[in-house]
Amino acid sequence: MKLGVMCSGNGSNFENIVRTCNKDEVVLMIHNKRDCGAARRAQKLGITHAWMDHKDEVSMIKAFQAFNVDLIIMAGWMRIVTKTLIEAFPDRIINIHPSLLPKYKGLMAIERAFENRDPVTGVTVHYVTEELDSGAIIDQGKVLIHPDDTIDTLTRRIHLMEYSILPEAIEHVKYKLSSRTHRHLLSHSV
Ligand code: GRF
């Protein structure tokens, strides 16, 4: 299975994916901010990476196809993707979001949970659909909000949960995709 990753920022989830996946599994990382942490991490880790304009999804599709990518992971991609990309990789794009969806879709999810004094928030991995943060949920992890938390301490624990949940969700989706391919091959054999 070949994985492609999309990032806009720091890239700590991207680095964690590279470190927890099989060697050579992550074949391409696309970023839409020229000088971002994700690009520097890709350089350090020896992962092929490319800056691309987020509006040019056709070029992104061509790049992922050129690398035979089976599954795309949006790991901190801060843009809404359109039908163009989604239809090129049906059921093959997943996203990580720092809240217990369907609560707090969109930006500032950690801050909103914190400011509302919710006792618990968390992390969701879900399939990407045209509607923002609304596709089928693959996995969720809860994170308690402590009375003495600050945004920083809470964000840190959210990230730790992400580093645990996202690699597991990737394994789950990979398994589903490979068993689907296996069934397809079986049904087409004698
Ligand atoms: C994560 O909190 C993720 O849930 C959100 O963007 C953040 C990316 O962090 N979508 P990093 O770039 O992986 O450090």
Side-chain angles (χ1 to χ4, degrees):
M1 218 28 80
K2 293 191 192 315
L3 307 180
V5 185
M6 293 164 61
C7 298
S8 301
N10 181 25
S12 67
N13 278 285
F14 158 64
E15 175 158 357
N16 186 54
I17 295 167
V18 173
R19 294 194 184 282
T20 51
C21 277
N22 298 329
K23 196 174 176 292
D24 302 332
E25 217 172 7
V26 179
V27 292
L28 177 64
M29 191 278 286
I30 290 177
H31 54 101
N32 68 334
K33 291 268 180 318
R34 282 189 192 275
D35 183 31
C36 60
R40 288 190 292 276
R41 289 176 197 262
Q43 192 68 30
K44 175 184 78 179
L45 295 162
I47 303 290
T48 305
H49 56 103
W51 173 85
M52 291 202 173
D53 181 349
H54 50 258
K55 292 192 285 300
D56 186 4
E57 290 186 356
V58 171
S59 294
M60 289 168 49
I61 292 167
K62 284 186 185 152
F64 283 131
Q65 286 173 342
F67 281 81
N68 294 317
V69 164
D70 302 292
L71 175 64
I72 297 172
I73 300 124
M74 288 174 32
W77 180 259
M78 304 310 281
R79 287 282 164 172
I80 296 173
V81 292
T82 75
K83 189 166 143 160
T84 307
L85 182 68
I86 294 166
E87 287 183 353
F89 293 92
D91 295 330
R92 287 167 184 268
I93 310 177
I94 66 173
N95 178 49
I96 181 143
H97 183 77
S99 78
L100 292 176
L101 290 172
K103 236 179 161 182
Y104 306 126
K105 296 177 183 180
L107 296 174
M108 312 290 280
I110 304 175
E111 288 79 356
R112 284 185 282 154
F114 182 79
E115 276 151 22
N116 285 344
R117 299 175 189 275
D118 289 359
V120 64
T121 183
V123 167
T124 303
V125 182
H126 64 94
Y127 287 100
V128 172
T129 56
E130 280 182 70
E131 201 182 331
L132 178 68
D133 297 330
S134 299
I137 289 172
I138 300 160
D139 201 3
Q140 292 188 303
K142 286 183 183 168
V143 175
L144 296 180
I145 304 183
H146 302 148
D148 60 350
D149 257 333
T150 61
I151 288 285
D152 286 349
T153 58
L154 177 59
T155 301
R156 177 74 194 140
R157 289 205 313 290
I158 290 270
H159 281 313
L160 292 177
M161 181 58 80
E162 291 181 334
Y163 305 152
S164 157
I165 287 267
L166 184 53
E168 279 180 26
I170 292 170
E171 282 310 306
H172 175 79
V173 175
K174 274 163 51 183
Y175 178 77
K176 277 184 76 172
L177 287 174
S178 54
S179 48
R180 193 203 284 175
T181 309
H182 187 63
R183 275 201 305 276
H184 179 79
L185 290 175
L186 276 178
S187 66
H188 284 76
S189 63
V190 245

